[in-house]
Amino acid sequence: MIGVKSGISEKIKNIIFYIFVFVILVVLSQNYLLFHAYAEVFSIVIAAFMFIITWNARAFFDNRYLYFIGLSYLFVANMDFLHTLGYSGMNVFQDYDYHANQLWIVSRFIESGSFLIGFFLIKRKKWINTTFILIIYALISMVFILWILVFNSFPTCFVPGEGQTTFKIISELVIIAVLLLCLYLLRRNRSLFQKEVYHSLKISFILTIISEFFFTVYIDNYGISNLMGHFAKIVSFYLIYRAIIKMGIKEPYKVIFNNLNRKKRELERLNEEKIQLFSIVAHDLRNPFNGLINSARFLHEDYEKLGEAEKRDFLEMLYASSKKLYSITENLLEWSRINLSSTQLSPVKIDLDEILSEAIDYFTLMLNHKEISVRKENFEGCTVLADRGSLSIVFRNVLSNAIKFSYPNSVISINCLKLDDDIAIEFMDKGVGMSREKMEQLSGNLIKSSQGTSKEKGTGLGINIIKKHLELNEGEMEIFSKENIGTTVRIILKSGESI
């Protein structure tokens, strides 16, 4: 309810503002020169503020369109100021009485042209070069000022007693056509604007078109069409000013606070994971260390008394404990790297058959020990776009889990499926599978490790590592499992054919 009241209050404020401005303009229109100066100065102040806000909030702007428009309004304000000084009766430029309408047309061309150019910059990956934009606009403004005020050679736009020239009318129609195109482009790009900003821009464009229409049909610089045109112009300027205020000041602070809250939640998550991680590691490290110490002690103290078979058993225990410690340490280091630092990836086109073969070779001893075979299907010409090292870590962790939970003398099938623009790699084992409760635990970042079919232990870090690396590679993971039947892990990545 509070939000609704706030929204109604804002609308009422705007309506009161528009009525106030309109009444002031009507009252001032009794002295048309005063009315014109008031209307133009009002617009100039708004335009100048647009530039000031844009310039000072440039570090926060993420909407290229509004940023570009905000910069351009400095030069619109400059031309409108000169137009105001050149208006008939101001007596600033006494040598020539046609400057006001000429400067008006130039100002409107700069304004509408900026609206249009902004749409070609909105999706540009590289940020706008502010210095370059300001220099270009300054040069364009200087050329037109010299053309109009110094050389007096710009086409005449209005002749007292006769009205607007053909050049002026055609120019206004061209400006209207440009604004109609801007309306079309705004609608096509509406997803890039917040709802409130989108509607402010849309209404502003419509009012600017109405304003230009009034300035197309008037025959007297002091007529009613001129008055209505200026009113529409003021409101259109104000609406764009509101859009820039929202994106340049209100939204950046909202974004800053949202980012701070997100960082806070992320730190809380990492702290919770760290505590859980230390608990898991402390427990899981104890057994392999005990195995190492006890095996090494027996070999050291009773080496001469032990038979060859007993020595071999102790050596196998040493090997198994060392390998387990290495696996825990490797996963711990990888978890730390991807969670506590900024990992940079280099996506390249990768042959899946090649990288999977490397992962399978890595687990040759484990596969042989459990007498598990791996069958690959449909990998001919199957490529993905990903970071090679990162993808290798994903495949090794997925395959490690498949081996761990597969029954001895079983088969792990790995299939490649070509989707529209993606590739799906499915790892299917015929192992213990997972219960519904266990599947629900997978949504967390750390899960309690379960023993494998040969009593293998883990740290519970594997799922976290897989998720993080897939996220960095813009990939996804889906898991399907039935208890005592098996598990299918589907990895979805961008196809290498998309580059």
Side-chain angles (χ1 to χ4, degrees), residues 108-301:
R108 302 289 70 79
F109 268 124
I110 292 175
E111 183 184 20
S112 59
S114 298
F115 289 156
L116 182 60
I117 294 169
F119 286 109
F120 296 98
L121 300 175
I122 196 168
K123 292 183 180 179
R124 191 169 178 261
K125 291 183 179 180
K126 192 175 180 181
W127 188 246
I128 297 168
N129 188 322
T130 304
T131 304
F132 177 75
I133 294 295
L134 295 177
I135 290 173
I136 292 297
Y137 269 93
L139 290 173
I140 291 172
S141 298
M142 184 179 68
V143 168
F144 278 111
I145 289 171
L146 290 173
W147 193 358
I148 294 170
L149 299 181
V150 177
F151 300 112
N152 293 332
S153 56
F154 192 86
T156 302
C157 295
F158 184 86
V159 178
E162 297 180 16
Q164 301 181 80
T165 64
T166 302
F167 170 78
K168 169 70 161 50
I169 294 172
I170 291 174
S171 295
E172 295 284 10
L173 292 174
V174 169
I175 291 167
I176 290 172
V178 170
L179 291 168
L180 288 170
L181 178 58
C182 289
L183 264 177
Y184 168 74
L185 293 174
L186 177 66
R187 183 173 179 79
R188 285 197 60 181
N189 293 279
R190 66 184 303 169
S191 61
L192 301 176
F193 298 93
Q194 292 184 5
K195 185 177 180 181
E196 185 181 341
V197 173
Y198 168 77
H199 286 300
S200 289
L201 288 174
K202 181 176 72 172
I203 296 171
S204 177
F205 288 170
I206 292 171
L207 286 173
T208 306
I209 291 170
I210 293 172
S211 172
E212 292 306 311
F213 174 76
F214 280 123
F215 288 117
T216 303
V217 299
Y218 80 98
I219 56 175
D220 183 1
N221 273 341
Y222 294 83
I224 185 65
S225 293
N226 205 295
L227 183 147
M228 294 304 297
H230 278 92
F231 178 72
K233 177 192 173 187
I234 287 173
V235 176
S236 71
F237 270 47
Y238 174 69
L239 287 169
I240 293 179
Y241 170 77
R242 278 184 58 201
I244 289 176
I245 281 284
K246 182 170 180 61
M247 292 301 295
I249 294 180
K250 291 183 180 179
E251 283 305 310
Y253 283 107
K254 187 187 292 184
V255 169
I256 289 170
F257 287 120
N258 286 342
N259 285 341
L260 286 174
N261 287 330
R262 183 175 56 80
K263 288 290 185 184
K264 180 183 177 182
R265 290 193 299 271
E266 181 69 11
L267 287 172
E268 288 173 350
R269 180 189 67 80
L270 285 174
N271 189 54
E272 183 181 332
E273 285 185 18
K274 181 184 69 176
I275 294 170
Q276 187 179 352
L277 175 66
F278 288 156
S279 175
I280 291 170
V281 171
H283 176 269
D284 288 347
L285 282 176
R286 189 176 291 112
N287 286 335
F289 263 122
N290 285 337
L292 271 175
I293 293 169
N294 289 331
S295 298
R297 180 170 61 82
F298 279 118
L299 285 171
H300 174 69
E301 294 178 356

Side-chain angles (χ1 to χ4, degrees), residues 47-48 50-52 54-55 64-80 106-118 121 128 130 133-134 136-138 140-141 237 240 244:
M50 286 189 218
F51 172 79
I52 292 169
T54 303
W55 179 257
R64 287 166 172 76
Y65 186 82
L66 290 178
Y67 180 71
F68 178 75
I69 294 302
L71 294 177
S72 71
Y73 262 96
L74 172 66
F75 303 93
V76 173
N78 179 53
M79 286 297 175
D80 279 349
V106 170
S107 184
R108 302 289 70 79
F109 268 124
I110 292 175
E111 183 184 20
S112 59
S114 298
F115 289 156
L116 182 60
I117 294 169
L121 300 175
I128 297 168
T130 304
I133 294 295
L134 295 177
I136 292 297
Y137 269 93
I140 291 172
S141 298
F237 270 47
I240 293 179
I244 289 176

Side-chain angles (χ1 to χ4, degrees), residues 23 26 61 99 175 189 249 337 383 396 423 429 457 488:
V23 170
V26 171
F61 263 99
H99 291 321
I175 291 167
N189 293 279
I249 294 180
R337 187 176 73 87
T383 59
R396 290 214 310 259
I423 294 291
D429 67 64
K457 292 184 178 180
T488 297

Side-chain angles (χ1 to χ4, degrees), residues 370 372 402-408 431-432 451-456:
K370 297 184 75 170
I372 295 173
I403 297 169
K404 176 182 176 182
F405 296 109
S406 288
Y407 292 113
V432 296
Q451 282 192 349
T453 53
S454 295
K455 297 185 178 181
E456 303 100 322

